[in-house]
Amino acid sequence: MATTARRRYPSQYEVDVLLKDGSTVRLRPVRRDDGRALTSLFRRLSPRSLYLRSHHQGRRVSPEEVRRFTQVDYEDAFGLVATLGEPPHERIVAFGLYSRLDGSDRADVAFTVEDSHQGRGIASQLLDHLAVAAREHGVSAFEADVLGENRAMMDVFRDSGFPVQSGLKYGTLHVAFPIEETEEAERRAAEREMTAAAASLRVFFQPRSVAVVGASRQRGKIGAEIFHNLLKDGFTGVIYPVNPEAAAVGAVKAYPSVLDIPDEVDLAIVAVPAGDVLDVADECARKGVRGMVVISAGFREAGAEGAALEQALLAKARSYGMRIVGPNCMGVVNADPAVSLNGTFSPVFPPFGNVALLSQSGALGLALLDYSRQLNIGLSTFVSVGNRADVSGNDLIQYWEQDPATDVILLYLESFGNPRKFSRLAQRISAQKPIVAVKSGRTAAGSRAAASHTGALASLDVASDALFRQAGVIRVDTLEQLFDVANLLAHQPVPKGRRVAILTNAGGPGILAADACAAYGLELPGLPAETAAALRAFLPPTASLRNPIDMIASASAEDYGRALRLLLADDSFDSIIVIFIPPLVTQAEEVAAAIREAATQLRGEKTVLTCFMSARGAPPELSRGGGCVLPSYAFPEAAAMALARVSEHAEWRKRPRGAVPRLDVETGRARAIVAAVQRADGGERVWAPPDRCSERLASYGIGSVHSKLARTANEAAAAAKPLG
């Protein structure tokens, strides 16, 4: 192994990673003082693991080897350890190392994982992160010698997505593969990330047991309401109230702490003062709790002291592989009757459906749950993420991507945690499950308010808009629009195009609908002669057979049904908006039943929306029976808006995905340029002169791309220029 001068500890490689069982470990570069902890790891290995690692039965790792593992230069030799627990009780459970081979651009790589932690995906994470470090230091390929019977290690290499080649000699496989970023490697890494994220969040939505820490006997307090809601709404698991000052809460035996509960606890919902949350987290970690929902406020949103407390809470949770929703949140809901989890202080338990909902605001989450119930939009799950210290929107959309109960994802956001990752994930998920988002903080005043609310920095709205558009996220401006779009997506197919037919019994609403459709970029084709003749056969002479189709006030429920069947069968239209204003004779319920029956009989790929303009709202007949459910809107403009946003999303889905260009990146050169500028100026944060900026861009291939584009444009202009 090559050795060079000792370099500064590279803290930028410290990272918390999710494993495929949903737990977390911390990866960090190995340090010189890790010798004792590494020796302890090797001593805990079983004889079988030692044999697979060293290729010799009974061979132990010598002190000289351990010293060599820890005294690396972080360039030609780079080691990563996976740790659990907090200092001074931190424990190393795995170790990975690459060592450059004789000054070449190739390196030998090896891994050691404690027996009790094998099979959790730690070695895959070590390989991924070592490859990143190696690429940045000029290593282009890894090699390893693996015993032929060590199938687990070979699976790690083969599942990495790198093009692995191997040859067998004397029972040992020599493995070699380039470590450049390829589409296949990125795809495999994304799959591992998605699986891990979903596994880590399952405990929040499908717990077998829940402890409510801070469950009060006094109704009206948050802990009391959460415990009461779990009982009232029929949680199918076991509930444990934790209250050190009460023998029972709500006629259920209480426990002084989580540690006193005799059985396993999957999820803890915490509603105690902020200053007590760290102690509760300690107890949960010792109990083996997998997830905590921290309702308590007084963290980052409260200032610097609260921010430090939140950081300490996060560090403690991650050191024990535990995940956190919140703090400063409202809780979680799973409306599936098989779970019936109302882990919030909201008195509203939504109907079960196919829409998942995330709210960054707890108080607003109360209103969103109530509104979904009023509109009869069923929810699969609901999460109030609060300060997002740990579980983020990126984690949740990956969970919902795999959740069979979720078809539509709704987001209320005040800020982004990791916009680049959100864009990458949303592009993949939106192609299968629509994501609808309303983001506050569109103005300077709103951004300041958002920052003070959850302690998060709001991004510029122009950047947010561009991000949503690129990622295929349906952006709306208001919460009302959020549910208007959700109502359509949850119940109807995505339209094939922008061509709309409007069917009404009143001219005024039809004109309003036509104006709104045109304003939102929808198209209103004229009726084909065949369809017009079929309509004329049963409609009065005064009916207008243009588009909108005005059947006039005398139109009966039967007329609505016959007309809708004709429009659904006509290939000239992708969507139909059906408007009804109750006249003196025709009953809204009869019309709704006729519309639903017609839409059910010809249910296919056409999108049907309704607008029942009356004080009584939409008749329940629109969703009764075994057929399709028809979304209904109070006014035509809302229906047109929802249809336009969903039509735009349908067009986005049809666009070619494209490919990310591969640039010739010279990371070492770029870093050298930055270091030279800093030395010349004598500071860390300095302005680089234009020529050095151009050099650094060129080191990432950006200058060459611009040059190629410029040459192409010049060549095209020359070709188009007339001769003579």
Side-chain angles (χ1 to χ4, degrees):
M1 180 173 65
T3 58
T4 61
R6 179 180 177 184
R7 286 176 169 81
R8 181 183 301 177
Y9 175 79
S11 59
Q12 69 268 26
Y13 294 103
E14 293 182 348
V15 62
D16 296 299
V17 296
L18 283 172
L19 305 178
K20 63 183 181 182
D21 63 358
S23 62
T24 63
V25 296
R26 165 151 284 234
L27 301 186
R28 63 166 175 80
V30 69
R31 296 192 296 249
R32 288 178 174 254
D33 60 358
D34 283 329
R36 182 175 297 179
L38 271 180
T39 300
S40 177
L41 165 65
F42 293 130
R43 285 176 177 170
R44 293 195 303 269
L45 294 178
S46 66
R48 174 68 176 171
S49 292
L50 274 174
Y51 166 66
L52 293 177
R53 183 194 177 279
S54 63
H55 302 189
H56 294 284
Q57 196 72 39
R59 183 181 181 276
R60 291 283 169 179
V61 177
S62 68
E64 291 74 19
E65 286 179 289
V66 173
R67 192 176 304 112
R68 192 157 50 88
F69 295 156
T70 57
Q71 295 183 4
V72 296
D73 63 6
Y74 304 121
E75 184 171 323
D76 290 340
F78 198 110
L80 284 176
V81 295
T83 69
L84 287 174
E86 294 181 286
H89 306 296
E90 180 187 65
R91 187 175 70 169
I92 294 176
V93 297
F95 174 60
L97 176 76
Y98 82 70
S99 304
R100 193 186 299 268
L101 297 170
D102 299 325
S104 69
D105 65 346
R106 307 176 72 83
D108 183 68
V109 67
F111 304 97
T112 302
V113 181
E114 187 175 336
D115 289 68
S116 59
H117 294 278
Q118 292 174 7
R120 300 173 62 203
I122 297 179
S124 294
Q125 289 287 353
L126 287 170
L127 175 58
D128 286 346
H129 288 81
L130 278 176
V132 170
R135 285 194 296 267
E136 292 182 354
H137 294 104
V139 175
S140 64
F142 279 165
E143 298 183 9
D145 290 315
V146 184
L147 286 178
E149 57 195 286
N150 194 351
R151 296 184 60 183
M153 195 67 250
M154 287 303 301
D155 287 342
V156 169
F157 290 133
R158 291 187 178 120
D159 293 343
S160 67
F162 295 125
V164 175
Q165 294 182 338
S166 61
L168 184 63
K169 186 176 182 180
Y170 304 120
T172 299
L173 285 165
H174 182 74
V175 178
F177 51 93
I179 57 172
E180 65 178 345
E181 294 178 280
T182 64
E183 289 187 9
E184 179 63 15
E186 291 177 358
R187 185 184 68 80
R188 295 288 186 92
E191 287 179 354
R192 290 193 293 272
E193 179 186 39
M194 178 178 61
T195 300
S200 73
L201 297 187
R202 203 163 288 126
V203 68
F204 294 103
F205 299 117
Q206 300 173 31
R208 295 164 299 177
S209 55
V210 176
V212 181
V213 184
S216 174
R217 302 176 64 180
Q218 183 178 344
R219 291 297 303 275
K221 290 192 173 182
I222 289 179
E225 295 309 308
I226 293 171
F227 181 73
H228 174 75
N229 288 341
L230 286 167
L231 290 173
K232 171 180 69 70
D233 294 317
F235 175 55
T236 57
V238 184
I239 312 168
Y240 300 103
V242 176
N243 186 330
E245 299 177 356
V249 175
V252 178
K253 176 179 172 58
Y255 298 88
S257 81
V258 171
L259 294 172
D260 296 309
I261 298 173
D263 301 311
E264 292 184 357
V265 176
D266 290 337
L267 178 66
I269 302 178
V270 181
V272 300
D276 297 331
V277 171
L278 282 181
D279 291 337
V280 172
D282 265 328
E283 294 173 353
C284 288
R286 290 160 58 193
K287 181 66 179 175
V289 175
R290 295 286 302 278
M292 287 176 59
V293 178
V294 182
I295 309 293
S296 315
F299 290 86
R300 182 175 46 181
E301 80 286 356
E305 186 176 341
L309 183 62
E310 183 174 310
Q311 194 59 40
L313 173 63
L314 176 61
K316 186 176 294 294
R318 286 184 169 172
S319 69
Y320 288 102
M322 186 167 54
R323 301 222 66 185
I324 293 177
V325 168
N328 184 32
C329 74
M330 177 186 150
V332 298
V333 168
N334 185 347
D336 185 347
V339 181
S340 292
L341 173 73
N342 185 0
T344 74
F345 48 87
S346 168
V348 176
F349 191 63
F352 180 53
N354 62 345
V355 178
L357 176 58
L358 176 152
S359 174
Q360 198 169 337
S361 166
L364 196 57
L366 291 167
L368 293 174
L369 287 177
D370 189 38
Y371 197 45
S372 69
R373 184 160 191 166
Q374 289 179 36
L375 296 176
N376 197 33
I377 295 178
L379 299 184
S380 57
T381 46
F382 163 81
V383 185
S384 163
V385 292
N387 291 6
R388 298 175 308 172
D390 179 24
V391 172
S392 67
N394 290 336
D395 294 317
L396 287 161
I397 63 175
Q398 289 186 94
Y399 175 85
W400 288 323
E401 179 182 14
Q402 297 187 74
D403 180 22
T406 297
D407 295 322
V408 181
I409 300 169
L410 306 185
L411 308 175
Y412 167 73
L413 302 174
E414 294 176 354
S415 62
F416 288 108
N418 187 334
R420 180 178 296 178
K421 184 176 180 180
F422 175 83
S423 177
R424 172 172 57 82
L425 296 174
Q427 285 189 59
R428 182 184 77 219
I429 298 168
S430 293
Q432 304 298 325
K433 298 185 178 184
I435 301 175
V436 191
V438 57
K439 184 185 177 299
S440 61
R442 291 180 295 164
T443 65
S447 296
R448 288 194 300 270
S452 64
H453 182 205
T454 54
L457 181 62
S459 57
L460 292 174
D461 191 61
V462 65
S464 301
D465 197 55
L467 186 152
F468 286 138
R469 191 178 300 277
Q470 181 190 43
V473 175
I474 304 172
R475 184 177 189 179
V476 295
D477 298 324
T478 66
L479 294 174
E480 184 177 17
Q481 291 180 355
L482 183 76
F483 282 97
D484 284 343
V485 173
N487 201 5
L488 173 55
L489 288 169
H491 300 131
Q492 287 291 297
V494 173
K496 283 187 172 182
R498 292 176 174 262
R499 302 171 303 168
V500 184
I502 299 172
L503 182 65
T504 179
N505 67 343
I511 295 170
L512 288 173
D515 285 343
C517 286
Y520 285 116
L522 298 173
E523 303 170 7
L524 272 71
L527 262 66
E530 184 179 347
T531 302
L535 288 168
R536 182 61 70 192
F538 63 89
L539 293 178
T542 52
S544 172
L545 300 186
R546 297 177 182 273
N547 190 9
I549 301 143
D550 181 6
M551 299 186 296
I552 72 172
S554 61
S556 65
E558 182 182 359
D559 292 337
Y560 266 98
R562 292 178 67 182
L564 181 57
R565 288 186 184 91
L566 288 170
L567 295 175
L568 286 171
D570 194 326
D571 292 335
S572 303
F573 308 106
D574 304 304
S575 308
I576 297 96
I577 298 177
V578 184
I579 303 172
F580 176 77
I581 290 185
L584 296 176
V585 180
T586 309
Q587 298 297 315
E589 291 78 7
E590 296 174 0
V591 172
I595 293 171
R596 181 185 54 77
E597 182 181 355
T600 301
Q601 288 178 357
L602 295 174
R603 188 176 186 182
E605 297 181 356
K606 293 285 181 73
T607 308
V608 181
L609 303 80
T610 69
C611 177
F612 279 72
M613 300 178 68
S614 70
R616 295 171 58 191
E621 282 78 7
L622 290 172
S623 58
R624 285 180 180 168
C628 60
V629 174
L630 299 177
S632 187
Y633 301 87
F635 299 103
E637 295 87 347
M641 182 282 305
L643 183 57
R645 297 293 169 86
V646 175
S647 297
E648 290 172 4
H649 177 69
E651 291 175 350
W652 177 87
R653 283 188 175 187
K654 295 176 183 177
R655 294 174 189 165
R657 294 297 91 188
V660 178
R662 297 290 176 182
L663 303 178
D664 296 325
V665 177
E666 299 177 73
T667 306
R669 177 185 169 197
R671 288 181 173 171
I673 293 168
V674 172
V677 172
Q678 289 174 334
R679 284 195 302 270
D681 195 274
E684 289 190 1
R685 299 177 64 85
V686 297
W687 288 103
D691 59 331
R692 302 316 300 267
C693 288
S694 298
E695 289 179 35
R696 188 161 192 245
L697 289 173
S699 68
Y700 286 98
I702 296 174
S704 60
V705 171
H706 286 182
S707 299
K708 290 176 184 177
L709 290 174
R711 283 199 303 272
T712 302
N714 291 334
E715 290 168 2
K721 188 175 180 179
L723 298 176

